[in-house]
Amino acid sequence: MPAALLALAAGAFGIGTTEFIIMGLLTQVSQDLQISIPTAGTLISGYALGVAVGAPVLTLLTRQWPRKRLLLALLAIFIAGNVAAAFATSYEWLLAARLLTSLTHGTFFGVGAVVATGLVAPEKKASAIALMFSGLTLATLLGVPAGAWIGQHFGWRMAFVAVSIIGVLAMGIVALLVPRQIAASGPQSLAQELAVLRKPQLWLGLAITVIGFAGVFALYTYIEPLLTQVTHMDNQWVAATLLLFGAGLALGNHAGGKLADRFGTRHALLVSLAALLLVLLAGRWAFDQAAVAMLYVLVLGIAAFATVAPMQMYVLQATEGSPSNLASSLNIASFNVGNALGAWLGGAVISHGLNLTSIAWAATALAAAGLALAVATPRQSSACQTGPALA
């Protein structure tokens, strides 16, 4: 794998850290800005909304830009947004800074995925995407806990300063390692970009991402109360268990890329979604004992991110030609829509008086719907296969 992929992973690490870092800082932010915890929580949902809206809009507006220049510009905006967040004196200021930062997220991952596939041989495209997304898994494993630690010891503003420094380093690495010219990555006209919206395979792929991945966040959004109220873990063991989830993401991300390269995108999609369905179903009984819960969270992380590379590859291949920035960015937006859908459905289960473990049923239903859509994909379509044909 070329060193340029490590540069993309570095950018993904910074952007992934800023997306989730606020989760460990909500109490501090709410106290400092004198807002409620639920209001502070909108800093998370607002970011997701910014990703969903910003990804297609910003991608179309910058479609003629050389992709390396675009990646550098996105990282510059990312740095500016985090610096603004560090100096926020009100909720509105911080929300605006978060929205500014979120605009870079979908386009960076979407364009970055296209760049990654242009850097390697055809049989290694899914693994290249997985390597880029390893930055996101490391953000969950290392960046977010480190940000929470900085916030606890030096204040939540310094956590955003630290993320800004990560952005500067990532920008330097991208400038140094990503080549100016990338295979099959010339600028797209507006007509070329919008043409992919007429492809049913694209919309099927986006639906699989939204619904299938929503199952992950239906359960994971409420993992902390599951561990504290059902498993009765203390805070230290909860933190250790969440680290296991991050480790599982890294393992699953690597496995999903290898699976798609070896056996083809459609096969990888079916296998990973079926595995996710079974794991989510097991969540109904996995939180009675601490040791079982910790092992389960690790396996959940593996199953969750094993789906990412196949989902992204499916959407990229649905363009049936030159890789589309818009299609790739729309899939990143779809992941965020899935996150919001899953969190909402899990909350609806709780609000209707059902116990916490009943969330697993809703999560399983979403994964089952995603798997059903994947089964509907054509068996031998050129848009769905990368590896050898499977009988």
Side-chain angles (χ1 to χ4, degrees):
M1 290 292 175
L5 289 176
L6 298 179
L8 296 175
F13 175 80
I15 292 175
T17 299
T18 203
E19 178 182 14
F20 297 115
I21 196 172
I22 194 69
M23 295 179 181
L25 304 172
L26 283 183
T27 300
Q28 294 181 49
V29 170
S30 67
Q31 293 173 349
D32 188 36
L33 300 182
Q34 299 182 343
I35 56 177
S36 67
I37 290 288
T39 300
T42 61
L43 296 169
I44 299 172
S45 56
Y47 186 98
L49 178 63
V51 174
V53 174
V57 173
L58 195 59
T59 298
L60 288 176
L61 290 176
T62 59
R63 66 188 182 278
Q64 296 292 334
W65 289 31
R67 285 171 177 164
K68 180 175 181 176
R69 183 191 302 173
L70 176 56
L71 293 174
L72 291 172
L74 292 171
L75 287 171
I77 296 172
F78 166 82
I79 295 166
N82 280 286
V83 170
F87 287 94
T89 57
S90 66
Y91 162 76
E92 291 78 13
W93 181 341
L94 183 55
L95 179 61
R98 292 280 293 169
L99 287 172
L100 175 63
T101 310
S102 72
L103 296 177
T104 68
H105 184 119
T107 304
F108 184 91
F109 278 99
V111 174
V114 174
V115 170
T117 59
L119 293 170
V120 297
E123 67 273 11
K124 293 184 177 181
K125 287 186 176 183
S127 292
I129 290 176
L131 181 55
M132 188 197 75
F133 273 84
S134 67
L136 183 59
T137 65
L138 287 177
T140 306
L141 180 61
L142 301 175
V144 174
W149 183 86
I150 292 172
Q152 291 168 2
H153 290 81
F154 303 102
W156 65 269
R157 298 176 189 278
M158 287 305 299
F160 282 102
V161 171
V163 175
S164 301
I165 294 172
I166 293 173
V168 172
L169 294 174
M171 191 174 182
I173 296 171
V174 169
L176 181 64
L177 296 180
V178 174
R180 287 180 178 272
Q181 300 298 326
I182 302 161
S185 64
Q188 302 278 353
S189 68
L190 181 60
Q192 286 176 312
E193 289 286 3
L194 294 179
V196 301
L197 300 180
R198 297 195 296 267
K199 298 181 182 296
Q201 289 294 103
L202 172 66
W203 293 105
L204 180 58
L206 296 178
I208 291 171
T209 298
V210 170
I211 299 173
F213 206 74
V216 175
F217 271 78
L219 185 64
Y220 183 68
T221 299
Y222 304 95
I223 197 70
E224 190 270 341
L226 280 164
L227 293 174
T228 56
Q229 299 178 33
V230 179
T231 313
H232 303 295
M233 282 186 180
D234 60 29
N235 289 335
Q236 289 184 335
W237 281 108
V238 170
T241 303
L242 296 182
L243 284 176
L244 287 176
F245 181 78
L249 295 184
L251 293 172
N253 181 58
H254 178 75
K258 290 294 185 183
L259 183 64
D261 279 337
R262 175 66 180 85
F263 297 105
T265 300
R266 182 177 185 274
H267 184 73
L269 200 58
L270 294 174
V271 170
S272 60
L273 282 171
L276 178 61
L277 186 155
L278 294 175
V279 171
L280 291 173
L281 180 62
R284 175 62 180 82
W285 303 278
F287 293 94
D288 292 336
Q289 297 181 1
V292 175
M294 293 180 74
L295 178 61
Y296 175 77
V297 170
L298 172 65
V299 175
L300 176 63
I302 295 172
F305 252 56
T307 65
V308 171
M311 286 177 175
Q312 190 73 11
M313 278 302 300
Y314 181 89
V315 168
L316 284 177
Q317 292 162 359
T319 62
E320 295 180 342
S322 179
S324 167
N325 290 340
L326 178 60
S328 185
S329 298
L330 281 172
N331 201 47
I332 302 302
S334 296
F335 278 114
N336 282 269
V337 173
N339 295 353
L341 172 63
W344 172 82
L345 185 58
V349 170
I350 298 172
S351 66
H352 280 78
L354 299 175
N355 57 43
L356 283 167
T357 56
S358 296
I359 296 173
W361 298 123
T364 302
L366 288 168
L371 179 59
L373 287 174
V375 171
T377 62
R379 179 173 293 274
Q380 296 293 342
S381 172
S382 62
C384 304
Q385 298 291 337
T386 58
L390 299 171

